[in-house]
Amino acid sequence: MSHTATAPANAEKRYTVHRADLPLSCPLPSMALWNSHPRVYLAIEDAPGGEVQCPYCGSHFVLAD
């Protein structure tokens, strides 16, 4: 049986992520994709200040380490 994501997609507008979570995508792998926008990969490790915003939903991601 395959793993099914159970978290609602884009329920929050600010997410803290860690280097272990890279590569970063929105929606996150733990989120259900069926009710969200297409998955987009975000280059947070190259972003100034370690922060990026999803161009689809506006969710803000902050790299913690």
Side-chain angles (χ1 to χ4, degrees), residues 7 15 18 24-26 32 36 43 45 50 52 56-57 59-61 65:
Y15 297 93
H18 302 276
L24 175 62
S25 66
C26 184
S36 186
E45 62 274 13
V52 293
Y56 283 102
C57 66
S59 292
H60 190 82
F61 296 89
D65 56 2

Side-chain angles (χ1 to χ4, degrees), residues 24-59:
L24 175 62
S25 66
C26 184
L28 295 170
S30 60
M31 297 176 184
L33 187 58
W34 67 270
N35 63 348
S36 186
H37 57 72
R39 179 163 286 141
V40 60
Y41 287 89
L42 306 168
I44 194 168
E45 62 274 13
D46 298 331
E51 298 186 19
V52 293
Q53 188 168 343
C54 176
Y56 283 102
C57 66
S59 292

